[in-house]
Amino acid sequence: MTLRDTGTGHVPVNESAVGVLDVPAEPYAAGAATYRLALRRLRHNHRAIVFGSLFVLVVVLCLLAPVYARYIAHTGPNVQHITEVLDINGKSVDVVSLTGVPVGPTWHSRFFLGADADGRDLAVRLLYGGRTSLAIGVMATAITIVLATVLGLVAGYYGKWTDGVISRVFDIVWAYPALLLAIALGVSLATGGISIGPVQINSGSILIPTLVIGIVYVPYVARPIRGEVLALREREFVESARALGFSNFRIMASEILPNLTSTLIVFVPLQLAHSIILEAALSFLGAGVQPPAASWGTLLASGAPLFNVAPYLTLAPATMLVITCLGINVFGDGLREALDPRATVRTGY
Amino acid sequence: MMVPATSAAPQSGAHDKVPLLELEHLQMLFPARAAAFGGKRGHVHAVDDVSLALAEGETLGLVGESGCGKTTLARCAVRLLAPTAGKVRFRGADITSLGPRAMRPYRKHMQIVFQDPQGSLNPRKRVRQIIGAALELSAGGSGDDRLRMLLDQVGLNPEHANRFPHEFSGGQRQRIGVARALAVDPQLIVLDEPVSALDVSIQAQVVNLLDDLQDEFGLSYIFVAHDLSVVRHVSDRIAVMYLGKVVELSPAEELYRRPVHPYTLGLLGSIPIPDPVVSRSRPRQLPRGELPSPIDPPAGCRFHTRCPGATDICREVEPPLTLYPGGHEAACHHPLNVSSSDIAGAVRSPAASRSSGSVVPVPPGG
């Protein structure tokens, strides 16, 4: 029994027709190949690579803060040198003058970027502050992504009243501007600390701003995730898993979740930048990291009153914030372009 | 197209033993979106009181145009949907309202192959994972040998187990879908338009593959299609659906030789013939107009709005599914191609809708 195949003559039916049928698939690809392709596109995006490296540089510098403090600046982030006198190129200079003006950048190993009003080394505090800011950013992003994924999956997959309850809670959170909500939560929690059963978080802990930032952003990520799950849930491979009798948990975890990864990957840099900025804003307003602990936000706050006499106190942390978030955002844009299937058309890959 | 080697299955639902699958007065309504203010909330009557039985080893073709409820019926049959009313029985056991957990033991007896070979395979998983997950349920072991055997059985190269679905052509993907369904050693496979998304040249290969697998494993099929040409050679019986109802049910060849319902005649006339001369010269009686809304289906015979031979009775009384001598069933007040002796021997079919009348059909003009 044979079948006439247009063009190529006779195709033997029911024998291995694989060789004949072995045609390439659609131009856009899915599966692991997406990531391989995305990585290749990303490598060719020089702008994304440069700005990504800038961010990595900031991270490395901040991680090396203790090394810098100990071996170069010979001081700690909270050590005050108010009464000390520095010898700069043969001139004697007070770390903090009698009128309260701190020394400016010395461009020497000690007080490289100058001192603050309490006679602390700004460069050291800047790096230690970066550690705090980045740590809060990373942890808050992790909280946001994990909570948003779980809630978005559950809401989108189960639908009905489950979706209704979760989505209405999102609406309530969303109704407040993120900053206002974070300030309200931050202020109330920062003074009293958190005490839920055995979990105790002291009022000064950086875990409080981390939690606040992480939770405030959940709806912003969970909503798009939910939407994507709504679409994926109707796909036939999910029905096929149901026809095999798989549990809901298994369908969510092993059928739907892997299809969300590219969306989640795009959200990570976006959320990281958002979280770092929100941390700075909260700390600046006193609802985030509590002094004397340093973060870019608290540095901005303590430097602001002295802006006229010592502008570097605000310019230095502000510059770090700009470089970090610019680096993350431009890299994130490149990442999104690389993962977007339609980028195939634009870049010619 | 070609003729399958066997059609040993019973021609009209064997009464001596329990059918593999029974659908009894099955009804599936979906809530329709209500109008913004004060609108009455309607329902889409996707499947409306359908009764069918499938014997072991039998292939039942299920045909109808888009929106007639054939896919919904197929999904109810494997309990991907819970019907609004009616019963689904598998080997006599009522599985209509079993929960997901209680349904699990039955899952490995009934599988489904979907229309869209792309959408039915998870793009993030390798063939090995896709079929491996189904093999976990199988009694026949879940080792690598079994996987390679399955791929070989559906005509795929076992070396391709580590590939992703997008690396295959449409026909190959559908073979993966078939392999996944086979992996659990089912007795029943519902084929939901398994070849509609494929090239015509590939369609025949997949249909032949399905036919061979049926012989090899003694499978029963419900083969859903939207045109009559595809199911002709694989089906033992064919059911024609229109707007949620079965309008005709007959042994396969009988349906083509002697369509009783005007809608079936219309469907037959819409089969494309790849020869313009032959195509133009054949007499055709296609249904007029558009499919009415399943939210508010026409009263009486659902086909009367498009039927060339509709009369007053068609607009008022729903024709019952009528069993003619020889096992041919049709729901029409004015049946075609039936003799007066056929009509004399006609009885109301036990599968007739509950809402249908008990009026015996009258010959045209009689």
Side-chain angles (χ1 to χ4, degrees), chain A residues 250-308:
Chain A
R250 179 164 179 183
I251 292 175
M252 281 191 277
S254 91
E255 300 293 328
I256 297 181
L257 188 58
N259 287 285
L260 295 173
T261 37
S262 58
T263 311
L264 290 173
I265 287 173
V266 169
F267 267 116
V268 167
L270 205 68
Q271 271 317 112
L272 190 56
H274 275 140
S275 302
I276 290 173
I277 290 176
L278 188 57
E279 181 278 323
L282 277 184
S283 302
F284 183 80
L285 295 167
V289 176
Q290 299 301 313
S295 84
W296 289 334
T298 55
L299 291 183
L300 278 172
S302 63
L306 293 168
F307 187 75
N308 285 332

Side-chain angles (χ1 to χ4, degrees), chain A residues 183-197 199-205 207-209 211-212 286-288 290:
Chain A
I183 291 171
L185 279 175
V187 168
S188 60
L189 295 177
T191 49
I194 301 174
S195 166
I196 307 164
V199 185
Q200 288 274 342
I201 301 177
N202 293 331
S203 59
S205 169
L207 287 178
I208 290 175
L211 272 175
V212 167
Q290 299 301 313

Side-chain angles (χ1 to χ4, degrees), chain A residues 20 64 83 113 141 169 182 267 282 290 299 326 345 348:
Chain A
V20 187
L64 290 176
T83 54
L113 290 174
T141 303
V169 172
F267 267 116
L282 277 184
Q290 299 301 313
L299 291 183
L326 197 66
V345 183

